[in-house]
Amino acid sequence: MNSLIIGQYVPKESIIHQLDSRLKISIVFIYVIILFAAETSLNYLLFFILSILCMSLTQIKLSFIIKGLKPVWFLIVITFVLHIILTREGDIWFDIFGFPVYKEAIIKGFEIALRFFLLILMTTLLTLTTSPIAITDAVEELLSPLKKVNVPVHELALTMSISLRFIPTLIQEVDKISKAQASRGLDFRTGKMKDRVQAIIPLILPLFISAFKRAEELAFAMEARGYRGGEGRTKYRELRFKNADYIAGLSFILFLVGFIITR
Amino acid sequence: MNNLSFKLAFAAIFVVLMAIGANIATWFPLLKVSGVPLTLQTFFAILAGLLLGKKLGAFSMVAYLAVGAVGIPVFADLSAGVIHFIRPTGGFLISFVFVAFFVGLIVEKSEESIKTYLIATFVGLMTNYLIGTPFMYLSLNYVMETSMSLVTAFQIMIPFFIKDFIITMAAAVVLPQFITRLTKAVPSLATTRS
């Protein structure tokens, strides 16, 4: 459960940590899109080098990053296996218990698996090096042009920040409720399906009531402080581009040029 | 009364509730049906539509997806990231926005009765699968670059649908009682809806 409570952010003083969160999000966003346009093996090599470089610059232990990637190993393996089973064309490479494995399948499967790996590595690095609050701030600023077409960008960012604040609180609450109801002898393992579903009420209802009571208190506090939407609000933390950000941005543009040349 | 503070606070709470609903079996291991952990996400998305209405309900689901997209582990199995939107199950996540919207639409248009709740819940569930399954087909074919037909994709989802149908419809039966008690405890919830 702890992983959800602390989130994935690892506070450190590395170059990557200090980059502007808007820049980091933009780079990861572009990276994810062009990764799907990668064709040649040289392309993949470039992506690989960039990702490994970023990873080493974060100063986060390799073992920690690999642990963070754990939930997706499964997806990567499944993708690979699916390809071997479903691809039915090209040259047969070898047989496993009479099941032909095609050369095409191995290459294609490896390519897609590598793509997933790089994709997940890069997005994980973003959240490992950027605090959730910096991320929501950046989201608000990056999406702010959408305000012109009446997209509630400020409201969305604020909702995200509020929810971040409530995640640990409500998780503790769920813990308490589950213990409290267990101590009263609530049991779902036996009985008819209908009874078991009905028994969800003693779990979900207290959770909803306490959650919405907290939300109500917060809303009253916001009202008392005169919250009137995003118009004219100032910020405690301002995002600003520094020299390192320009260098990082330029390097990424160089990478893009290299990508287009090798394609 | 300026409702904005209440709206944002309630929408934010639903983001957290969705995160809990996705991982409910972590706390209540008893909520397992023949070994498969149950998620209450679809049910919670339906509740978002019921309690917050179509606009705010859909807004809260967008916020949930956004929180997950920027890397806070709020999706099932405590995972996160934009990658979830292109995974085969990504369509089910995206569909929650529409689930909340359509459920809200139905509840706002008709009077509160157990029949309305049952219809709204059923429509919500159908929205979930009718968006999620074709998306799964697209993801398998164009992202994972494997080949699977749309018909096969629907066939695979049938047992999951039956399981969800039974659970969600059974939950819908207790909805009137649930909502009455909840709005009694938190009065401002009733005024924020609509």
Side-chain angles (χ1 to χ4, degrees):
Chain A
M1 261 351 288
N2 281 336
S3 62
L4 191 57
I5 290 170
I6 28 178
Q8 290 175 301
Y9 177 55
V10 182
K12 279 239 158 72
E13 295 285 303
S14 81
I15 308 168
I16 305 277
H17 279 79
Q18 287 170 6
L19 289 181
D20 192 296
S21 49
R22 288 169 297 180
L23 181 78
K24 279 190 273 188
I25 289 185
S26 311
I27 288 181
V28 170
F29 189 72
I30 298 170
Y31 178 100
V32 167
I33 289 172
I34 61 167
L35 187 56
F36 281 89
E39 273 165 4
T40 61
S41 41
L42 213 54
N43 272 172
Y44 280 106
L45 188 69
L46 263 182
F47 275 108
F48 192 73
I49 292 170
L50 178 77
S51 314
I52 298 298
L53 188 72
C54 292
M55 193 173 86
S56 51
L57 284 175
T58 57
Q59 291 176 7
I60 297 170
K61 272 196 214 128
L62 185 66
S63 59
F64 191 84
I65 295 176
I66 291 176
K67 218 175 82 193
L69 295 177
K70 213 166 71 186
V72 288
W73 286 124
F74 180 69
L75 182 74
I76 293 173
V77 172
I78 283 282
T79 321
F80 192 69
V81 172
L82 262 180
H83 271 95
I84 290 178
I85 297 172
L86 293 173
T87 308
R88 284 273 146 273
E89 50 202 57
D91 310 325
I92 295 177
W93 222 2
F94 54 87
D95 280 70
I96 305 173
F97 307 120
F99 185 87
V101 174
Y102 295 81
K103 199 175 168 187
E104 287 285 295
I106 299 268
I107 294 172
K108 194 88 199 151
F110 181 73
E111 210 174 90
I112 308 284
L114 180 69
R115 184 188 285 172
F116 267 115
F117 171 75
L118 291 173
L119 195 73
I120 293 153
L121 177 65
M122 213 44 181
T123 44
T124 312
L125 286 183
L126 172 73
T127 48
L128 284 173
T129 60
T130 321
S131 73
I133 293 295
I135 292 179
T136 49
D137 277 355
V139 167
E140 180 171 358
E141 291 215 14
L142 287 173
L143 295 181
S144 61
L146 290 177
K147 280 181 190 161
K148 292 208 178 78
V149 283
N150 282 332
V151 178
V153 174
H154 161 78
E155 285 76 6
L156 183 68
L158 187 65
T159 305
M160 288 166 74
S161 304
I162 297 175
S163 66
L164 292 180
R165 188 245 163 272
F166 276 118
I167 286 174
T169 324
L170 286 191
I171 282 174
Q172 277 177 355
E173 200 71 36
V174 184
D175 256 344
K176 268 191 224 157
I177 294 168
S178 69
K179 282 182 187 130
Q181 301 294 32
S183 70
R184 293 187 179 104
L186 192 72
D187 182 28
F188 301 84
R189 267 166 289 200
T190 49
K192 276 185 245 149
M193 191 66 207
K194 188 172 151 279
D195 297 333
R196 280 200 267 173
V197 174
Q198 292 256 345
I200 289 179
I201 284 227
L203 296 177
I204 308 288
L205 189 66
L207 172 67
F208 270 61
I209 289 178
S210 87
F212 281 103
K213 275 208 166 138
R214 282 168 200 277
E216 200 179 39
E217 276 167 22
L218 176 82
F220 279 126
M222 284 163 78
E223 289 290 296
R225 284 159 181 78
Y227 175 72
R228 286 290 175 276
E231 206 97 345
R233 252 167 80 86
T234 50
K235 276 213 157 66
Y236 178 60
R237 283 175 299 268
E238 294 263 7
L239 293 171
R240 234 176 239 124
F241 263 59
K242 289 190 260 344
N243 285 339
D245 296 308
Y246 290 112
I247 295 169
L250 265 175
S251 323
F252 188 64
I253 290 170
L254 276 179
F255 163 78
L256 288 180
V257 172
F259 169 73
I260 292 165
I261 293 170
T262 53
R263 208 171 160 241
Chain B
M1 184 164 75
N2 172 18
N3 267 330
L4 188 59
S5 316
F6 287 90
K7 283 181 176 165
L8 296 189
F10 290 150
I13 281 299
F14 250 107
V15 174
V16 188
L17 288 174
M18 282 297 281
I20 292 170
N23 299 294
I24 194 99
T26 321
W27 296 281
F28 309 121
L30 358 121
L31 279 183
K32 277 187 181 169
V33 180
S34 51
V36 181
L38 195 116
T39 90
L40 290 176
Q41 267 189 310
T42 317
F43 181 57
F44 279 16
I46 291 167
L47 274 174
L50 283 178
L51 292 170
L52 304 179
K54 60 172 192 287
K55 256 176 107 178
L56 194 60
F59 174 79
S60 70
M61 292 302 113
V62 171
Y64 170 63
L65 299 184
V67 169
V70 299
I72 319 298
V74 290
F75 296 149
D77 298 326
L78 301 178
S79 54
V82 265
I83 178 115
H84 283 268
F85 300 130
I86 56 170
R87 279 173 72 159
T89 50
F92 292 96
L93 275 179
I94 295 166
S95 78
F96 290 140
V97 178
F98 301 95
V99 170
F101 184 84
F102 288 131
V103 169
L105 190 73
I106 292 169
V107 179
E108 283 170 30
K109 283 254 159 85
S110 34
E111 56 190 289
E112 279 179 46
S113 68
I114 189 142
K115 202 178 128 203
T116 311
Y117 289 145
L118 282 174
I119 293 171
T121 309
F122 182 69
V123 170
L125 196 60
M126 286 307 280
T127 313
N128 188 222
Y129 275 85
L130 287 179
I131 294 175
T133 314
F135 190 97
M136 183 173 92
Y137 158 76
L138 289 177
S139 165
L140 281 171
N141 283 278
Y142 298 103
V143 181
M144 320 263 285
E145 297 189 19
T146 57
S147 45
M148 180 189 271
S149 73
L150 188 57
V151 180
T152 322
F154 270 104
Q155 282 167 347
I156 290 176
M157 294 319 288
I158 288 175
F160 293 96
F161 179 77
I162 293 172
K163 181 205 86 182
D164 269 358
F165 179 80
I166 295 169
I167 291 166
T168 320
M169 291 319 260
V173 179
V174 293
L175 270 177
Q177 187 197 359
F178 182 85
I179 291 176
T180 321
R181 287 216 223 159
L182 183 61
T183 42
K184 208 170 169 187
V186 189
S188 53
L189 193 59
T191 55
T192 317
R193 216 191 326 180
S194 77

